[in-house]
Amino acid sequence: MQDFAEAFRLAFTLVLSGDPDLLEIIGLSLRVSLSAMLISCAFGLAIGATVAVLRFPGRGAVIVLMNSLMGLPPVVVGLVVYLMLSNAGPLGFLQLLYTPTAMIIAQSVLITPIIAALSRQVLEDLYSEYAEQFRSLCVPTHTAIGALLWDARYSLLTVALAGFGRAVAEVGAVIIVGGNIAHLTRVMTTAIALETSKGDLALAMALGMVLLTIAILVNASVMALRSTAARHAYA
Amino acid sequence: MTTTKAGMRFAMALVLAAGISVPAVADDASIIVQSTTSTANSGLYDYMLPIFEKKTGIKVNVVAVGTGQAIKNAQNCDGDVLLVHAKSAEEKFVADGFGLKRSDVMYNDFIIVGPPSDPAKIKGDKSAGDALKKIAGAKANFASRGDNSGTHKAEIKLWKAAGVDIKDSSGQWYRETGSGMGATLNTAVGMGAYALTDRGTWISFKNKGDFEILVEGDKSLFNQYGIMLVNPEKCPNVKAKAGQSFIDWVLSADGQNTIRSFQLDGKQLFFPNAEAEPMQKAG
Amino acid sequence: MLDAVDRTTAGERIIASKAAPRGLLPMEARGLTLAISGKRLVDAVDLDLNANSITMIMGPNGAGKSLLIRLLHGMITPTSGSITWSGEQLNEGMRRRQAMVFQRPVLLRRSVAANVDFVLSLRGPTDKAKRDHILEHVGLLEHAKQPARLLSGGEQQRLALARALALEPDVLFLDEPTASLDPASVLRIEQIVSSAHASGTKIIFITHDFGQAKRLAGDIVLMHRGGVLEHTPAEKFFEKPQTAKGADFLAGRIVL
Ligand SMILES: Nc1ncnc2c1ncn2[C@@H]1O[C@H](COP(=O)(O)OP(=O)(O)OP(=O)(O)O)[C@@H](O)[C@H]1O
Ligand SMILES: [Mg+2]
């Protein structure tokens, strides 16, 4: 219990002092996870929308696979990306291991299935509503996908945030491909793991609180953006 | 393969298109040192690397993992310098052609920590072997790293020397955590188990609870660190020049003095023991 | 193509201009059958529709009216039988010249204006003037910026109608567009439909409302259990149905 009180006190002091190391770590966490979210949205929404709209043999299997991949363990993703990016691996020539880019790639791999699977469900629900109307209008597939993505954009925002949440909270993948190098690839979660391994549980906990606060801020600003956008949409 | 590469390039293009600039680490002025959590967690690198960086302008990035993983990473050419503590594994690494000449850098020592109740009554034992025998005899809980790290390997050696076969007791009183030193200490403190740890990690460890150092000072508890360059012939990406200048500095009088002067809570943690005149031995 | 002399906007043209019926008609269906899991939901229908009149389809619930017009519109493929429009097999090009208003209107989750814009963009560049004109025509211009889903039931039906009219269809299918609307709204929709008909659009209209059928219909198609019982000019149908079941239906007796 003492640790909690100490952690609260520490979290406040850390944030209030504007500790440059902490700001650097927060900045990198945000950069890596937001980038991963954007990239995963580009791939995941395309996949999700395609599967939602098209009927093809093996579609059921693809959906089962997508849904299962949501549970990919971060460590496994980290390991696979490490083996690819390692100098001994096929993509070693890119020289990306132990860089923020490697972390972005690992997190993108981790959350693309989440965005694809969740957006597939959201878009398919909407499509079942629109399908007859679209068939009557002879709407081409790509136009249909565009319309679905647009009309479901607020639900998809929540999907994107789910992906971001998973990315910013995971440690298993980034610690392997990033290496938790100080001032280069250290993010909130790897810093928390490090402090825990040093036995500094209060500091680890304080960092955890800061991470939670950041997640809340990101979500709140997206929600604020969303409601202003919704208001303007019909203004 | 080409499609994978093309796919990667596309993904990379996306990374860049998303307006995310990624600082290249791959410039000549930075190297990657594959090393161990025990050295990194003690704060030694935070203390000595700025001194080296200021002198040479070479940025040193430390990847701190278990010795086993560090050696594996270096074998995959994912590092320029290896600084670990598992002498026989290091020698094998060099013999297999993955590394160039290995040099002693420093040593620190292991200690056995445990709860003040000390169920196996090992407090003050001068011989680590005796202490371990008593622990096995009392079937008192012992938390092991179990992660193939340098510390883990040293611990296995100590059990062997003490004539205790721990394999049969794994999962009973012998608990393998399969994680790093800090995590293992957290576990040991949590379950009131004995543990073998390096002194550096212990001194800087914040979650000691009421645990104490019970056994220390035995020669067999000394922990030798070695340093070597990853073989540039095997790994063309190795920055041999920058890596070698780091090794040379660590082994130089200046580097050794830096190690000696590093203190935690007023205690010296690492004892430099590099051989003199290391300068002319470059690969 | 309709009236080269008329220099009014496109929107006015589709809605207001009096013109000869456009392409596509007559329609011929032969042996049209739709069977789903062994049940013949539409059963060997032979039907001829010509260009000039408003065709009203009537019949008890579950008779197969909605399925029939989906077949004619090419939204579902028949199990057997054929459909030709102006002598040609139904194809995608023809389908693009038809529009349908569904029994339950499906509106996009957008503003009223954006719903019309979407349809306009499918056939060409969106045209604000045209859109506003169409909305004005169905009395929804003042609601243009409102989310379509917040419209009342009658307004939603009118928007669905506006969207269909925006396509300038040669054939317009309407599936009970006035069910559950108040009398004023019913009349309003009927006026819009009449004016579309007057401008040369073939109307195929499902209804349960005899009054409405009397007001609008040129010919009546009476359906029962997947088949067409009779296809009769409207005055004749209301004067004296051609079949005993038709008479029962008209008299409000249960038709089995
Ligand atoms: N996809 C389907 N699968 C199975 N049965 C169906 C399907 N679609 C419609 N039916 C059945 O076909 C019959 C005709 O349906 P349809 O919708 O054409 O009726 P309707 O004449 O339009 O009735 P209403 O006046 O109630 O709208 C109904 O019994 C209905 O349950
Ligand atoms: Mg119906």
Side-chain angles (χ1 to χ4, degrees):
Chain A
M1 280 314 93
Q2 215 179 323
D3 274 343
F4 276 107
E6 171 69 3
F8 266 117
R9 199 189 56 73
L10 252 176
F12 268 110
T13 353
L14 271 176
V15 171
L16 291 182
S17 69
D19 179 57
D21 282 1
L22 179 69
L23 293 182
E24 187 185 350
I25 291 173
I26 292 174
L28 188 64
S29 274
L30 285 176
R31 205 179 88 200
V32 167
S33 296
L34 287 173
S35 309
M37 184 189 84
L38 289 178
I39 292 166
S40 302
C41 281
F43 288 100
L45 291 180
I47 296 168
T50 309
V51 177
V53 169
L54 294 186
R55 296 291 174 274
F56 51 88
R59 178 172 178 274
V62 168
I63 291 174
V64 169
L65 182 71
M66 274 162 51
N67 289 345
S68 312
L69 287 179
M70 285 201 287
L72 265 182
V75 195
V76 173
V77 172
L79 210 54
V80 170
V81 175
Y82 167 77
L83 290 173
M84 298 297 281
L85 296 183
S86 160
N87 275 309
L91 301 176
F93 69 95
L94 291 171
Q95 290 295 304
L96 288 177
L97 196 65
Y98 304 133
T99 65
T101 311
M103 301 158 81
I104 293 173
I105 292 170
Q107 291 193 345
S108 301
V109 172
L110 184 72
I111 65 173
T112 297
I114 296 180
I115 299 204
L118 295 180
S119 66
R120 198 271 313 160
Q121 188 64 58
V122 166
L123 294 171
E124 195 170 321
D125 289 348
L126 186 60
Y127 187 54
S128 70
E129 202 180 306
Y130 284 4
E132 279 217 308
Q133 185 67 56
F134 281 4
R135 212 170 315 133
S136 164
L137 292 168
C138 300
V139 177
T141 306
H142 60 93
T143 313
I145 287 178
L148 289 173
L149 288 173
W150 177 251
D151 287 355
R153 60 193 181 281
Y154 296 127
S155 310
L156 293 177
L157 212 53
T158 307
V159 169
L161 285 175
F164 171 77
R166 167 94 158 151
V168 82
E170 73 83 28
V171 60
V174 283
I175 206 160
I176 297 178
V177 301
N180 189 25
I181 298 170
H183 305 297
L184 183 61
T185 57
R186 184 161 300 166
V187 289
M188 289 302 288
T189 52
T190 59
I192 292 170
L194 178 67
E195 292 312 327
T196 306
S197 80
K198 285 184 186 168
D200 201 340
L201 304 191
L203 180 55
M205 192 66 204
L207 289 172
M209 287 171 188
V210 175
L211 179 61
L212 183 65
T213 311
I214 293 165
I216 290 172
L217 287 178
V218 167
N219 277 278
S221 42
V222 168
M223 283 305 154
L225 215 73
R226 172 190 158 147
S227 58
T228 34
R231 239 179 290 122
H232 285 311
Y234 298 115
Chain B
M1 193 79 286
T2 33
T3 46
T4 335
K5 281 182 189 173
M8 274 310 303
R9 292 220 168 94
F10 173 64
M12 293 316 306
L14 239 156
V15 174
L16 299 174
I20 306 121
S21 64
V22 173
V25 64
D27 53 307
D28 259 358
S30 81
I31 58 169
I32 287 174
V33 175
Q34 289 284 353
S35 187
T36 67
T37 33
S38 51
T39 24
N41 285 5
S42 71
L44 174 65
Y45 289 124
D46 297 337
Y47 174 73
M48 71 185 225
L49 291 184
I51 299 173
F52 172 71
E53 282 164 12
K54 207 164 161 196
K55 271 210 169 79
T56 61
I58 298 171
K59 170 100 178 65
V60 180
N61 294 309
V62 177
V63 176
V65 287
T67 293
Q69 197 186 338
I71 292 177
K72 186 79 200 135
N73 287 347
Q75 280 177 356
N76 285 337
C77 304
D78 298 326
D80 305 298
V81 172
L82 183 64
L83 200 172
V84 290
H85 57 106
K87 196 165 177 181
S88 53
E90 291 160 35
E91 280 164 350
K92 182 164 186 309
F93 178 80
V94 172
D96 290 347
F98 291 111
L100 298 184
K101 182 186 177 305
R102 175 197 174 282
S103 311
D104 284 342
V105 179
M106 61 193 182
Y107 67 90
N108 66 348
D109 65 335
F110 291 121
I111 51 180
I112 297 175
V113 298
S117 60
D118 190 16
K121 298 281 164 279
I122 62 168
K123 186 165 185 169
D125 276 359
K126 285 284 158 273
S127 152
D130 286 352
L132 291 183
K133 261 185 240 163
K134 281 194 216 163
I135 291 172
K139 294 193 191 307
N141 283 344
F142 184 94
S144 164
R145 298 264 304 256
D147 65 347
N148 213 18
S149 60
T151 306
H152 183 224
K153 284 176 175 161
E155 181 212 307
I156 301 276
K157 235 162 87 186
L158 288 169
W159 285 113
K160 236 182 218 149
V164 177
D165 185 9
I166 34 146
K167 274 216 187 73
D168 297 339
S169 312
S170 182
Q172 297 159 31
W173 59 267
Y174 186 73
R175 312 266 170 100
E176 290 172 273
T177 64
S179 34
M181 194 68 256
T184 304
L185 285 174
N186 281 328
T187 309
V189 171
M191 66 168 93
Y194 295 102
L196 181 81
T197 172
D198 60 285
R199 193 185 292 273
T201 302
W202 180 251
I203 291 177
S204 54
F205 190 67
K206 300 267 173 49
N207 185 31
K208 294 190 182 86
D210 54 1
F211 267 41
E212 302 169 353
I213 299 176
L214 298 175
V215 178
E216 61 187 325
D218 185 346
K219 260 257 181 315
S220 69
L221 288 175
F222 284 179
N223 179 28
Q224 180 64 49
Y225 284 82
I227 193 168
M228 67 224 75
L229 187 69
V230 177
N231 190 347
E233 272 168 39
K234 270 236 153 120
C235 305
N237 287 319
V238 164
K239 288 161 198 154
K241 225 177 120 218
Q244 190 61 47
S245 60
F246 176 65
I247 294 174
D248 290 344
W249 178 77
V250 168
L251 300 177
S252 72
D254 184 23
Q256 296 275 297
N257 283 331
T258 307
I259 292 171
R260 186 173 297 113
S261 61
F262 173 59
Q263 291 195 337
L264 207 61
D265 288 353
K267 288 190 196 101
Q268 180 181 345
L269 283 188
F270 295 95
F271 300 85
N273 65 346
E275 287 168 42
E277 29 88 55
M279 299 300 287
Q280 63 268 47
K281 300 268 170 52
Chain C
M1 105 191 121
L2 301 178
D3 34 17
V5 275
D6 193 338
R7 286 267 158 256
T8 51
T9 66
E12 281 167 42
R13 192 172 69 230
I14 50 155
I15 290 154
S17 59
K18 197 90 171 143
R22 279 172 254 168
L24 280 192
L25 276 289
M27 190 286 305
E28 253 182 50
R30 289 292 172 268
L32 197 58
T33 300
L34 179 75
I36 295 178
S37 50
K39 273 180 77 180
R40 295 167 77 86
L41 301 172
V42 173
D43 193 1
V45 165
D46 294 335
L47 187 64
D48 289 86
L49 297 180
N50 64 34
N52 297 315
S53 61
I54 292 183
T55 299
M56 306 282 273
I57 304 179
M58 302 192 77
N61 292 132
K65 305 179 293 296
S66 297
L67 288 177
L68 177 65
I69 65 169
R70 279 178 165 74
L71 285 167
L72 299 182
H73 184 30
M75 287 179 60
I76 43 181
T77 335
T79 317
S80 61
S82 70
I83 301 164
T84 60
W85 291 87
S86 61
E88 270 183 72
Q89 288 287 321
L90 177 58
N91 61 33
E92 170 104 12
M94 293 174 182
R95 298 194 50 219
R96 287 171 172 277
R97 291 160 66 187
Q98 309 176 346
M100 181 178 291
V101 174
F102 289 90
Q103 200 163 350
R104 286 179 288 270
V106 181
L107 302 176
L108 302 187
R109 296 183 184 179
R110 305 181 184 185
S111 70
V112 168
N115 265 272
V116 178
D117 286 343
F118 176 74
V119 166
L120 288 175
S121 74
L122 290 174
R123 300 287 188 266
T126 52
D127 176 346
K128 266 202 161 96
K130 189 168 170 180
R131 174 242 284 165
D132 287 349
H133 194 272
I134 294 167
L135 286 177
E136 170 108 72
H137 181 63
V138 300
L140 286 177
L141 191 54
E142 67 200 285
H143 296 291
K145 300 256 167 85
Q146 202 174 312
R149 289 164 172 244
L150 299 185
L151 295 176
S152 77
E155 289 165 343
Q156 292 199 9
Q157 282 291 8
R158 273 188 272 146
L159 176 55
L161 196 52
R163 221 170 40 177
L165 290 173
L167 292 168
E168 305 182 34
D170 291 4
V171 180
L172 176 59
F173 295 98
L174 298 146
D175 195 343
E176 301 184 37
T178 58
S180 79
L181 300 190
D182 71 53
S185 304
V186 170
L187 283 182
R188 177 136 207 191
I189 294 218
E190 287 177 6
Q191 276 164 10
I192 299 166
V193 170
S194 295
S195 81
H197 174 246
S199 73
T201 302
K202 168 70 184 177
I203 307 289
I204 301 170
F205 193 129
I206 300 178
T207 187
H208 290 294
D209 179 344
F210 290 123
Q212 183 167 57
K214 279 180 187 155
R215 286 192 294 277
L216 292 180
D219 52 328
I220 304 275
V221 174
L222 181 61
M223 284 195 78
H224 178 54
R225 295 200 179 176
V228 171
L229 276 182
E230 59 178 283
H231 181 193
T232 320
E235 311 95 77
K236 216 161 147 193
F237 179 79
F238 288 111
E239 201 177 296
K240 186 180 185 314
Q242 306 295 291
T243 59
K245 278 188 173 142
D248 284 350
F249 179 73
L250 203 52
R253 284 189 290 270
I254 296 164
V255 188
L256 293 171

